[in-house]
Amino acid sequence: MQTTSQPMKAMAVDKFGGFDKLTLHTLPVPTVDTGEVLIRVEVAGVGVWDVMEREGELVYNEVHFPRVLGGECAGTITAVGDGVERFAVGDRVYAQSFMNDKGGSYAEYVVVSEKTVAPIPDGLDMLMAGGLPIAGLTALSNLKALLTGDGTKLILWGASGGVGHVALQLAKRMGASVFAIASGADGVELVKQLGADEAVDGHGDDVGQRARAFAPDGFDAALVLVGSDNVQSTLSLVRQGGIIAFPNGIMPEPKAPDGVELKKANADPMLFDQLNRLIGIDQFQVHIAQTFPLEAAAQAQSAMKQHYLGKIVLRVNGQ
């Protein structure tokens, strides 16, 4: 066990509420117990789950303040607890800090269970790795729920978003043929670059027509990462015996036509090894739309209300 009185900077809330409740604090570095690691955070991802926690909509443990936000990060291990054998001081890692009793990753240091940590995959820099943990695990969990494999015809809503652009690349590595529905002309261009077999703007008038032309016998699977009325109109194109999957937070939740299975899947840290193997197959991109300093975490969350592609992240130590 490690004890320390060393202070760190962290963005935390003293009560739930709006952007103004997220302020800079000086707090003790969390202690490291058995099975845990201490990470010096270099990049912290920003996600809608952080907004929900700040507002008090997402409460997963005993509420105590100040509450450090942040569900994911990348950095360097600076201490390990008893029983930790997979990691050592100095390892460059990325980690999920979501639903973490010792605080989130909007901080100079975070302590997490070694089970929610993985080595940064070859080919990814620290900036990309910081935006990957929840997006990558959520994407892979849903693709596995869809039984994605060679020849799967997949319709992907939200393909240019944080989870979506990662899911697109993973689905292609798993052998799928992907009809990608992105946001805006820039989103269409991004998903084309990332390997979509066909890409359309979800705000256009011809989504259904082009989807039917792409899969005249119906889609085997649909991954829904955005909520809108337009989404539901295309889910009738999933064939009998097909599967629709979506993660928590998609509103309204999609409805499955008769004869189509509906599954909900969320980020599973047990999939880190498989995620790293898939990423290592070929060049992989985590598209970083904007970066903010740690102290501007509230502005980073506010930026998610605007149109953007991929991920928004915070630069913390050494970035």
Side-chain angles (χ1 to χ4, degrees):
M1 180 184 295
Q2 177 230 15
T3 58
T4 179
S5 58
Q6 180 184 352
M8 68 173 184
K9 293 179 181 178
M11 293 299 289
V13 296
D14 292 309
K15 65 178 181 177
F16 296 127
F19 294 115
D20 62 315
K21 300 298 187 289
L22 183 56
T23 58
L24 186 65
H25 290 60
T26 299
L27 300 172
V29 171
T31 58
V32 182
D33 292 316
T34 300
E36 297 177 336
V37 299
L38 175 66
I39 299 172
R40 182 178 185 268
V41 178
E42 295 191 31
V43 178
V46 179
V48 294
W49 44 88
D50 302 329
V51 174
M52 293 170 68
E53 184 175 0
R54 188 201 74 228
E55 294 173 342
E57 293 181 17
L58 182 64
V59 178
Y60 46 81
N61 56 11
E62 183 180 346
V63 175
H64 56 85
F65 298 106
R67 193 175 183 90
V68 181
L69 304 186
E72 59 188 356
C73 66
T76 304
I77 291 180
T78 58
V80 299
D82 293 341
V84 174
E85 297 180 351
R86 295 174 53 231
F87 300 102
V89 171
D91 286 352
R92 290 161 55 86
V93 297
Y94 69 129
Q96 180 175 311
S97 52
F98 180 59
M99 300 202 306
N100 186 41
D101 287 336
K102 293 191 175 181
S105 57
Y106 287 11
E108 292 181 305
Y109 292 88
V110 65
V111 167
V112 293
S113 165
E114 67 167 330
K115 295 178 181 178
T116 67
V117 181
I120 293 178
D122 292 340
L124 289 194
D125 60 24
M126 193 70 76
L127 190 65
M128 287 194 287
L132 178 61
I134 292 181
L137 294 172
T138 300
L140 185 53
S141 295
N142 279 273
L143 290 171
K144 287 175 69 69
L146 292 170
L147 307 178
T148 306
D150 287 340
T152 299
K153 278 194 175 290
L154 172 68
I155 184 168
L156 173 57
W157 271 99
S160 56
V163 177
H165 84 290
V166 172
L168 167 60
Q169 296 172 82
L170 296 177
K172 293 302 298 177
R173 284 159 163 75
M174 297 166 79
S177 179
V178 182
F179 183 85
I181 304 170
S183 177
D186 54 348
V188 169
E189 183 60 32
L190 174 64
V191 300
K192 285 180 178 177
Q193 292 173 7
L194 296 179
D197 296 277
E198 184 158 359
V200 300
D201 184 352
H203 304 295
D205 297 328
D206 59 347
V207 175
Q209 179 182 347
R210 291 178 63 179
R212 280 187 289 272
F214 183 84
D217 296 325
F219 287 91
D220 303 302
L223 177 50
V224 178
L225 299 171
V226 294
S228 78
D229 294 336
N230 292 338
V231 172
Q232 193 59 45
S233 66
T234 63
L235 297 184
S236 61
L237 303 179
V238 179
R239 63 169 176 78
Q240 292 277 304
I243 308 172
I244 298 168
F246 67 103
N248 271 337
I250 302 302
M251 297 299 291
E253 292 189 352
K255 297 179 176 63
D258 290 343
V260 175
E261 188 174 0
L262 185 66
K263 294 183 178 180
K264 182 185 287 189
N266 297 303
D268 180 0
M270 297 300 102
L271 296 178
F272 261 134
D273 288 346
Q274 185 177 356
L275 177 62
N276 276 4
R277 286 194 297 272
L278 287 167
I279 288 172
I281 289 173
D282 199 355
Q283 186 173 356
F284 195 91
Q285 180 181 347
V286 181
H287 184 81
I288 303 300
Q290 290 177 273
T291 65
F292 292 82
L294 175 64
E295 293 82 358
Q299 291 95 310
Q301 289 190 358
S302 178
M304 288 193 296
K305 291 181 172 292
Q306 309 301 318
H307 172 75
Y308 70 97
L309 307 179
K311 290 285 295 187
I312 292 172
V313 300
L314 305 177
R315 294 179 181 267
V316 191
N317 290 298
Q319 288 287 322

